[in-house]
């Protein structure tokens, strides 16, 4: 594909002629095959597999994880410049000049995602065995989950945009199926549809971006596109960048396509943990980072990404502050944290590494938090209103400790994960310089404070204070099959950030793919210090409001901001007023025009003919004598006319 | 002296009688006979004009008309018989199913 000429121009491994996968990596198709086989067995096997289906469902991700670790170890054995390995599975499209081989790329970036997806995915599958144990449809649940894993792995492993798009749509489908898993609940069915529609808007952007790439470069492989993008005009690069961003906004629930994520919490909690926290919603960040060579050439597209991220991180954080539903509070937090990743990705090479670092750390602590929330929900008879919780620390000690570790990680207390991965993003935003840098940095800094506030609020309302439960519930600790994954994730929440950032491990590892920040700064930065101070302020305010005082069981009226945040900052109202209503008017107008205009004209003509012929046929009476009379009259008239004319 | 005008007048009278008979009578046999009357009125007019002009054309056509009339009677009476058998009625107004 791309020769050494391009490699010299482009500092990304993506554009370096990649090597062929050998050894264990040659079987990278297994990564897709394991979960796909699980999905096929469970979904096609039907009720026969009910008794042992969940075991298959858990085994497949674990096998995939084991394989991923082996491939990772093999990758570490290569020198840094040779770690990107390609593998052609088959010819996907073979039409004239349009050649798309369905290939996989194992490189530093994709292996990070593969390890996260299969690792955290396996843990969540194990958790789900316990969480879904009372559900008669558990087997179907695992089938969908495995389908999701297969699609997600295809998304991050494909070495071309078309394969990525196939995975992109696959995860969208799995997300739809799993949000609506309890489809007999109207709210779940609606939420699934909403997620699907909102994602569709983003997917249109991604597909248009891919079409534009093909139109411009005649190619949709990463190697081909990144090799040719230098010769494209600025406008084209900007257009591709913005279209990719639209796709990322849809999948990652970024403003303006954010509204679906909060409703997506209608799905089972393991789904929220895996799809709507740890993996699928981060696909947008993956897309941006993977397309780094495109964004590197377009400052306009980069700033758009950063602004979207900054707006979303505040948007999600504010929503998270007002929600009483524990899962929705965490969903707001997910939006906000992905906002951080997008902001980092929008900073270019200065931020890519931190975006991925935060993504990986977030995968651990947010999955852990969601599993904790699921554990609480499970024990509280599916109650999610935090105003009905309180004092759960003593009832569920393991969940409490795991949740607390996740909590410390997300708010960024040293030495937990979030501190190492979030503060560099804030620092990098300020380091961008100029007005934009100051604004983005301030937004990120504020976000850190708000994060501390809403997470402390969640902690206090759930685990401390008075017990505000119903008399009917008797929460006790979840079974080991649920607590074990939480413990592992909690360890990840503690250690992942430090492991990745200290000694620049992730930076050195990812550098060949994403580039490295121009200036490598230490762990302690002024911005980080300011963030830490704000975190303390946020946590103290939350304690003053929810820890020191009793939490009322019914929500107080709240001020203007609280009311707005409870309604998702009017995201639904904006969509409804700006898009849905005008759309409805448009369809109604079209229907009216169709009925009255097009059909009206045709029907009027037809009715005129029908009516007149109906009246005219009455002449045919069937009486032979009246026919004779009309013949006679006609003949007389004819003869009379002839005579008159003659005369 | 009997002039062609007399013959034509008779022809017209016969034709009108036939036409009125067709229009006012219900019995199919009578209607038939009235049709014959109209044909013969026409024949009379043909023959009169042929004689008046000293040409044979009209006389030949009169023969043709007779042949047609004979054929028509054959077919018509057959239809009539069939209808009468089916409906026990020879009224032309009863056979009015073929309508709108």
């Amino acid at each position: 594909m791309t020769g050494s000429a391009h490699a010299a121009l482009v500092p990304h491994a993506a554009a370096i002629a990649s090597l062929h996968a050998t050894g264990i990596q040659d079987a990278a198709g297994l990564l897709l095959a394991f979960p796909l086989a699980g999905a096929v067995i469970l979904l096609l096997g039907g009720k026969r597999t009910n008794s042992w289906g969940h075991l298959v469902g858990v085994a497949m991700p674990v096998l995939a994880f084991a394989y991923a670790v082996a491939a990772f170890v093999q990758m570490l054995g290569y020198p840094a410049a040779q770690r990107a390995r390609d593998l052609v599975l088959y010819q996907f499209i073979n039409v004239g000049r349009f050649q798309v081989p369905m290939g996989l790329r194992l490189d530093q970036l994709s292996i990070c995602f593969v390890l996260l997806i299969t690792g955290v995915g396996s843990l969540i599958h194990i958790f789900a065995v316990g969480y879904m144990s009372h559900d008669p449809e558990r087997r179907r649940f695992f089938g969908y989950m495995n389908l999701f894993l297969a699609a997600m792995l295809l998304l991050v492993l494909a070495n071309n945009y078309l394969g990525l798009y196939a995975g992109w749509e696959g995860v969208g489908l799995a997300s739809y199926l799993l949000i609506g898993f309890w489809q007999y609940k109207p709210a779940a069915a609606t939420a699934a549809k909403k997620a699907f529609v909102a994602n569709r808007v983003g997917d249109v952007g991604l597909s248009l971006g891919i079409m534009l790439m093909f139109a411009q470069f005649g190619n949709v492989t990463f190697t081909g596109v990144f090799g040719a993008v230098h010769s494209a005009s600025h406008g084209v690069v900007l257009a591709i960048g913005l279209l990719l961003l639209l796709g990322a906004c849809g999948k990652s629930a970024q403003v303006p396509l954010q509204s679906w994520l909060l409703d997506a919490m209608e799905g089972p909690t393991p789904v929220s943990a895996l799809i709507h926290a740890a993996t699928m919603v981060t696909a947008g960040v993956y897309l941006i980072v993977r397309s780094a060579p495109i964004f590197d050439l377009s400052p306009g597209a980069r700033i758009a990404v950063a602004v979207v991220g900054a707006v979303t991180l505040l948007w999600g954080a504010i929503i998270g502050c007002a929600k009483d539903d524990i899962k929705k509070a965490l969903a707001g937090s997910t939006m906000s944290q992905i906002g951080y990743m997008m902001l980092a990705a929008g900073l270019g090479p200065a931020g890519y590494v931190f975006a991925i670092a935060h993504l990986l750390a977030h995968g651990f602590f947010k999955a852990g938090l969601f599993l904790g929330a699921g554990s609480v929900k499970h024990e509280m008879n599916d109650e999610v209103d935090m105003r009905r919780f309180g004092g759960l620390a003593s009832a569920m000690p393991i969940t409490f400790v795991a949740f607390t570790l996740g909590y410390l990680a997300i708010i960024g207390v040293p030495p937990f994960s979030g501190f190492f991965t979030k503060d560099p993003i804030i620092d990098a935003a300020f380091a961008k310089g100029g007005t934009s840098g100051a604004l983005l940095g301030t937004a990120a800094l504020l976000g850190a404070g708000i994060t501390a506030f809403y997470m402390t609020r969640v902690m206090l309302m759930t685990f401390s204070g008075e017990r505000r439960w119903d008399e009917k519930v008797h929460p006790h600790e979840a079974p080991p099959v649920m607590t074990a994954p939480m413990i592992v994730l909690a360890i990840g929440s503690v250690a992942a950030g430090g492991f990745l950032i200290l000694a620049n491990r992730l930076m050195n590892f990812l550098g060949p793919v994403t580039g490295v920040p121009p200036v490598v700064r230490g762990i302690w930065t002024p911005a980080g210090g300011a963030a830490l101070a704000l975190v303390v302020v946020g946590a103290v305010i939350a304690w003053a409001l929810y820890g020191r005082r009793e939490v009322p069981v019914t929500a107080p009226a709240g001020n203007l901001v609280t009311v707005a945040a409870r309604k998702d900052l009017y995201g639904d109202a904006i969509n409804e007023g700006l898009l849905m209503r005008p759309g409805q008017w448009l369809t109604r107008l079209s229907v009216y025009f169709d009925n009255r205009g097009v059909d009206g004209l045709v029907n009027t003509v037809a009715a005129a003919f029908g009516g007149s012929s109906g009246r005219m046929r009455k002449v045919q009476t069937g009486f032979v004598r009246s026919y004779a009379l009309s013949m006679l009259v006609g003949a007389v008239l004819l003869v009379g006319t002839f005579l008159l004319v003659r005369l | 002296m009997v002039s062609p005008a007399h013959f034509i007048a008779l022809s017209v009278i016969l034709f009108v009688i036939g036409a009125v008979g067709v229009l006012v009578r219900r019995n199919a046999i009578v209607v038939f006979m009235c049709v014959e009357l109209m044909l013969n009125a026409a024949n009379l007019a043909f023959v009169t004009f042929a004689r008046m002009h000293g040409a044979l054309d009209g006389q030949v056509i009169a023969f043709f008309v007779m042949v047609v009339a004979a054929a028509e009677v054959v077919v018509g009476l057959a239809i009539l018989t069939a209808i009468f058998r089916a409906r026990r009625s020879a009224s032309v107004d009863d056979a009015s199913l073929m309508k709108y």
Side-chain angles (χ1 to χ4, degrees):
Chain A
M1 284 275 179
T2 314
S4 55
H6 280 121
L9 287 168
V10 191
H12 298 283
I16 300 170
S18 56
L19 303 162
H20 269 283
T22 52
I24 298 172
Q25 291 188 347
D26 193 32
L30 282 178
L31 278 172
L32 305 181
F34 280 132
L36 198 59
V40 168
I41 292 168
L42 294 177
L43 294 178
L44 297 186
K47 289 187 176 141
R48 278 184 295 276
T49 59
N50 266 359
S51 54
W52 45 270
H54 56 283
L55 299 177
V56 176
V58 172
M60 292 306 170
V62 172
L63 283 173
F65 178 64
Y67 176 83
V69 170
F72 178 58
V73 169
Q74 190 189 353
M75 179 182 289
L76 288 180
Y78 295 131
Q82 295 173 16
R83 282 179 177 165
R85 301 278 168 154
D86 270 11
L87 173 74
V88 175
L89 292 181
Y90 60 95
Q91 196 71 16
F92 185 30
I93 291 177
N94 182 8
V95 182
R97 276 177 51 245
F98 190 26
Q99 298 287 334
V100 182
M102 178 49 77
L104 302 182
R105 164 163 298 177
L106 275 169
D107 66 0
Q108 292 93 324
L109 182 60
S110 62
I111 201 79
C112 283
F113 275 87
V114 167
L115 287 170
L116 175 77
I117 293 161
T118 54
V120 174
S122 300
L123 291 172
I124 293 174
H125 274 74
I126 293 167
F127 177 88
V129 171
Y131 187 83
M132 301 295 286
S133 56
H134 304 305
D135 198 301
E137 293 280 357
R138 180 166 68 168
R139 178 221 16 121
R140 186 164 61 94
F141 176 81
F142 277 99
Y144 290 159
M145 289 286 267
N146 276 3
L147 180 68
F148 165 76
L149 280 186
M152 187 72 205
L153 288 168
L154 175 62
L155 196 166
V156 297
L157 277 171
N159 72 351
N160 60 77
Y161 278 100
L162 216 54
L164 181 148
Y165 188 74
W168 193 270
E169 294 297 318
V171 295
L173 168 70
S175 160
Y176 168 80
L177 292 171
L178 284 164
I179 295 171
F181 183 72
W182 292 316
Q183 75 275 54
Y184 48 81
K185 279 164 57 184
T190 313
K193 199 159 78 176
K194 185 176 178 183
F196 203 74
V197 171
N199 268 293
R200 195 64 40 242
V201 177
D203 294 350
V204 168
L206 178 58
S207 59
L208 285 178
I210 296 172
M211 288 177 211
L212 188 55
M213 283 175 204
F214 179 69
Q216 290 292 322
F217 314 130
N219 205 322
V220 290
T221 59
F222 292 152
T223 322
V225 171
F226 300 157
V229 74
H230 293 264
S231 48
S233 71
H234 287 299
V236 169
V237 179
L238 178 66
I240 293 176
L242 292 180
L243 287 169
L244 293 181
L245 173 62
L246 180 62
C249 282
K251 198 57 82 192
S252 292
Q254 301 292 296
V255 175
L257 297 176
Q258 83 293 353
S259 64
W260 65 271
L261 184 62
L262 290 147
D263 291 299
M265 295 300 122
E266 286 294 337
T269 308
V271 174
S272 311
L274 178 61
I275 300 185
H276 304 120
T279 55
M280 185 191 83
V281 286
T282 58
V285 181
Y286 170 77
L287 181 68
I288 305 285
V289 175
R290 176 56 87 188
S291 309
I294 295 172
F295 284 94
D296 285 349
L297 289 174
S298 177
R302 272 210 310 278
I303 197 77
V305 174
V307 168
V308 162
V311 170
T312 311
L313 81 87
L314 289 175
W315 189 288
I318 291 169
I319 291 175
C321 292
K323 289 288 176 186
D324 291 330
D325 177 333
I326 186 170
K327 285 181 72 184
K328 292 204 169 177
L330 290 177
S333 154
T334 303
M335 264 170 71
S336 171
Q337 298 304 312
I338 296 170
Y340 273 104
M341 299 168 207
M342 289 294 255
L343 168 59
L347 297 173
Y352 291 138
V353 172
F354 300 127
I356 299 299
H358 194 53
L359 193 158
L360 296 174
H362 175 257
F364 281 103
F365 60 67
K366 186 51 68 63
L369 288 170
F370 262 111
L371 293 193
S375 170
V376 169
K377 185 183 166 193
H378 193 67
E379 295 302 323
M380 299 293 284
N381 289 356
D382 285 342
E383 178 64 74
V384 285
D385 187 354
M386 291 189 291
R387 295 186 185 277
R388 317 286 308 178
F389 292 171
L392 281 169
S394 54
M396 310 177 70
I398 301 178
T399 304
F400 169 66
V401 170
F403 201 92
T404 306
L405 293 176
Y407 156 74
L408 292 172
I410 191 173
I411 65 174
V413 174
F416 297 94
S417 281
F419 167 74
F420 291 104
T421 58
K422 194 195 291 175
D423 289 0
I425 294 177
I426 302 171
D427 179 54
F430 277 114
K432 182 176 185 292
T435 323
S436 62
L439 284 175
L440 295 172
T442 311
L445 201 55
L446 272 177
I450 304 176
T451 304
F453 173 78
Y454 69 71
M455 282 314 297
T456 310
R457 177 176 174 271
V458 168
M459 276 300 292
L460 293 172
M461 285 177 83
T462 306
F463 290 105
S464 76
E466 296 222 347
R467 298 183 168 188
R468 302 180 296 272
W469 325 329
D470 278 344
E471 292 100 41
K472 277 172 281 180
V473 296
H474 304 287
H476 44 81
E477 191 52 78
V481 72
M482 287 166 72
T483 48
M486 278 161 31
I487 293 166
V488 177
L489 286 172
I491 295 168
S493 315
V494 175
F499 175 77
L500 294 171
I501 295 295
L502 289 178
N504 293 334
R505 279 196 192 90
L506 189 69
M507 195 184 294
N508 294 337
F509 181 64
L510 276 182
V513 182
T514 60
V516 291
V519 189
V520 179
R521 296 153 75 96
I523 301 300
W524 296 100
T525 54
L532 210 52
L534 274 175
V535 164
V536 173
V537 172
V540 167
I541 294 175
W543 176 79
L545 288 176
Y546 298 96
R548 209 179 45 172
R549 313 197 287 220
E550 213 168 290
V551 179
V553 174
T554 47
N559 57 23
L560 217 59
V561 183
T562 315
V563 173
R566 278 188 192 139
K567 292 183 177 167
D568 307 349
L569 293 182
Y570 302 113
D572 289 337
I574 292 168
N575 283 350
E576 188 176 322
L578 218 62
L579 304 167
M580 194 190 100
R581 294 285 168 212
Q584 281 183 331
W585 291 330
L586 192 68
T587 53
R588 277 183 205 148
L589 197 71
S590 310
V591 168
Y592 181 84
F593 178 72
D594 188 42
N595 285 345
R596 296 298 171 85
V598 179
D599 286 4
L601 184 71
V602 174
N603 288 344
T604 308
V605 172
F609 276 104
S612 56
S613 57
R615 276 184 287 280
M616 278 170 69
R617 72 180 187 184
K618 297 281 180 193
V619 175
Q620 305 288 331
T621 55
F623 292 114
V624 74
R625 294 189 300 148
S626 67
Y627 299 158
L629 179 64
S630 60
M631 277 166 71
L632 185 69
V633 170
V636 168
L637 277 177
L638 216 58
V639 171
T641 313
F642 279 136
L643 287 175
L644 275 174
V645 171
R646 180 73 67 79
L647 288 175
Chain B
M1 179 63 191
V2 184
S3 68
H6 291 100
F7 287 101
I8 296 301
L10 177 63
S11 165
V12 167
I13 290 165
L14 286 175
F15 188 88
V16 170
I17 291 170
V20 171
V22 167
L23 293 180
V24 302
R25 297 303 297 265
R26 292 200 182 86
N27 191 317
I29 307 231
V30 178
V31 171
F32 239 117
M33 294 194 303
C34 291
V35 170
E36 297 303 317
L37 208 54
M38 288 162 75
L39 288 171
N40 283 323
N43 276 352
L44 185 58
F46 273 125
V47 174
T48 305
F49 286 121
R51 181 63 183 258
M52 197 174 96
H53 294 295
L56 281 174
D57 301 4
Q59 311 218 7
V60 172
I61 287 177
F63 275 111
F64 275 109
V65 172
M66 279 185 235
V67 172
V68 169
E72 179 225 322
V73 166
V74 170
V75 176
L77 282 178
I79 293 172
L80 261 177
T81 316
I83 289 177
F84 187 77
R85 275 187 189 155
R87 301 172 170 269
R88 294 277 141 208
S89 151
S91 167
V92 289
D93 283 3
D94 286 350
S96 64
L97 279 177
M98 297 271 281
K99 58 181 176 186
Y100 51 83

